[in-house]
Structures are given as structure tokens and as C-alpha cells.
Amino acid sequence: MRLDRLLSNQNGISRQTARTLLRQGRVRVDNQVCQDGLRPITPFMQVCLDEACLQTAKPAHYLMLHKPAGYLSATSDPQHPTVLDLLPAELRPHLHLAGRLDRSTTGLMVLTNDGQWSRHLTAPGSRLAKVYRVTTREPIAAETGERFAQGIYLAREDLLTSPAELQLLTDHEALLTIYEGRHHQVKRMFHAVGNQVTALHRERMGPLQLDPGQLAAGEFRQLSSNEIQAVWATT
Ligand code: URA
């Protein structure tokens, strides 16, 4: 919500009064005077008028989780453990998932209570690179990289995947970078070239890289403020 609207939603403050209060420098956002009525205000910001606090800042949570195989990317499930089961009980009710992984897929998952930030990370239009380490049943054919660069036809959606980059690591292992996140996309791309994914691990989402070797499967940590800002900085 915009700052001027937040002010004029208060009892006894008209739009005209809100403009005057802003001009007089009587409104502070996170302890800094703010005169810009158009400033977007999130629930994670404190807003004060003189000595009165109009909105207290809700604690924001931004977590990176190393998802183990066997956990569902869901907030609850009657049958399988979910990724939320790996987090402290007091945090669970506040968090949502910024992107999903199949139950068998391991690697980077991001959880937050900041909906604007997670939309920035996952919006289809943001085209952030997602990097997967893929292990396959058959050797990866020489032309696979070219096929993925040209795009793979997905019949269900009736579209071509956007150009993806494949970096071969061994006969059966590669790093694949995609810029969208369709359902089972990596598995379907390999299936379309006559191969099968036997293990899938997400290493990166945009600027967020799973801590190599430091965050064991099942562990999580808070993102640093640099990491949080780096996501905002992506276009
Ligand atoms: N693509 C898949 O096929 N599965 C995942 O979990 C993620 C991307």
C-alpha cells in the first residue's frame, strides 16, 4: 500500500491532511522521515506519525533450504512429509514457498513471508536463471545441448521452451540452465530427447546459490541482506 493511503486510512486523517503531514516531515518510515506519499509500504516496515506508531513492522523471514528427496513442496500433506516439517514449528504458519520442486528433486528451495519479494523471484516474466544438476539414465547425446538451445515442444502447453543452456559434466551428468519453471520441465525436456532423468538437484535460482558443501540436505539458513537485495535488483 502507498504511504499516503496508509495515512488517510487512519481515523481522522483526510487525504488533504495526509499530504500536509508528509510535507511537514512528521511521518517516518523505519525511523527515517519520508515525504513521498507514493512510497510503497510493506507490512515489514514501521510507520510513525510524530510519536505515534501507525504500523509496527512485522518480522520478515527469508530462508534458503536444502531440500532432501522424499519431501513434498507443499505446506501440508496427509501422506508425505513436507518441506515445512524441516523448519521450526513457530516459523511454519508464516511461510510460503517461492517455487516448487518435485518430491524426488533435491536442492535449493526458498521460503519467505514476503509475497512481493517471492513474486519477484518466481514471476514467469522475470526469467531468472534456474540451474539444475541433472543425472540421466542414458548417456547424454551430443545434440542434446543444441536441441535444448532451440527449444523443446511441450504438447500440454502447446509451446516451445525458451532457449536453455546445457553444460556436460560427464556422459550422464550435466548442468542445465532454464529461464522458466513449467511443471516437471527438466524431466519433460530430457524425455523429449529420448532420455530419462534419474536424479535432479537445483543449485541456483537467480542470484541465490545453494551453499556448496555447507548446507547439508535438510538444513536451512536465513538469507543475508545482500542476497535479499540481489533478488530485488533482478529485472
Ligand atoms: N523440473 C523438473 O522436472 N522437476 C523439478 O523438480 C524441477 C524442475
Side-chain angles (χ1 to χ4, degrees):
M1 179 185 306
R2 279 168 26 179
L3 180 56
D4 55 354
R5 300 239 166 95
L6 185 143
L7 290 170
S8 58
N9 279 351
Q10 310 294 316
N11 272 344
I13 302 185
S14 66
R15 287 192 191 179
Q16 173 62 38
T17 310
R19 278 196 289 275
T20 307
L21 294 169
L22 285 161
R23 216 176 29 247
Q24 291 173 333
R26 292 170 60 187
V27 180
R28 279 172 291 121
V29 176
D30 290 342
N31 285 323
Q32 305 283 324
V33 169
C34 179
Q35 295 184 303
D36 177 8
L38 301 183
R39 168 123 182 236
I41 302 296
T42 71
F44 311 110
M45 295 172 172
Q46 186 197 51
V47 180
C48 297
L49 169 61
D50 299 330
E51 297 318 309
C53 187
L54 303 180
Q55 173 177 290
T56 51
K58 193 166 127 180
H61 302 289
Y62 305 89
L63 306 181
M64 162 186 294
L65 169 74
H66 184 165
K67 177 190 175 299
Y71 284 76
L72 272 188
S73 293
T75 47
S76 68
D77 189 80
Q79 227 187 331
H80 299 291
T82 76
V83 290
L84 281 193
D85 295 329
L86 297 162
L87 301 175
E90 65 276 13
L91 284 184
R92 287 178 207 157
H94 306 288
L95 296 173
H96 63 264
L97 314 176
R100 289 165 192 275
L101 291 174
D102 295 340
R103 188 156 69 96
S104 58
T105 303
T106 59
L108 175 62
M109 285 211 63
V110 175
L111 298 102
T112 180
N113 60 343
D114 184 344
Q116 249 180 303
W117 183 84
S118 64
R119 273 193 294 283
H120 206 77
L121 184 65
T122 58
S126 72
R127 300 185 46 77
L128 283 189
K130 290 157 199 104
V131 181
Y132 292 88
R133 183 177 285 262
V134 189
T135 311
T136 57
R137 185 169 305 283
E138 309 300 333
I140 299 170
E143 66 274 16
T144 304
E146 187 53 33
R147 297 273 312 272
F148 287 177
Q150 285 166 1
I152 294 291
Y153 178 69
L154 298 180
R156 197 184 311 154
E157 293 89 347
D158 186 25
L159 53 74
L160 271 189
T161 56
S162 61
E165 292 135 32
L166 189 72
Q167 182 193 342
L168 286 184
L169 301 174
T170 67
D171 281 359
H172 289 80
E173 214 182 353
L175 289 180
L176 176 64
T177 305
I178 60 174
Y179 297 88
E180 55 204 338
R182 304 193 180 280
H183 194 50
H184 300 317
Q185 179 162 341
V186 176
K187 291 177 185 163
R188 289 161 74 197
M189 287 171 71
F190 275 90
H191 184 256
V193 295
N195 209 332
Q196 194 186 330
V197 172
T198 55
L200 188 56
H201 179 81
R202 182 156 66 194
E203 295 199 339
R204 187 157 75 78
M205 289 171 81
L208 305 178
Q209 173 96 32
L210 188 67
D211 289 345
Q214 285 167 29
L215 206 60
E219 289 182 350
F220 73 94
R221 70 162 172 85
Q222 300 275 350
L223 295 183
S224 68
S225 51
N226 281 348
E227 287 171 319
I228 296 162
Q229 287 312 318
V231 169
W232 282 123
T234 57
T235 48

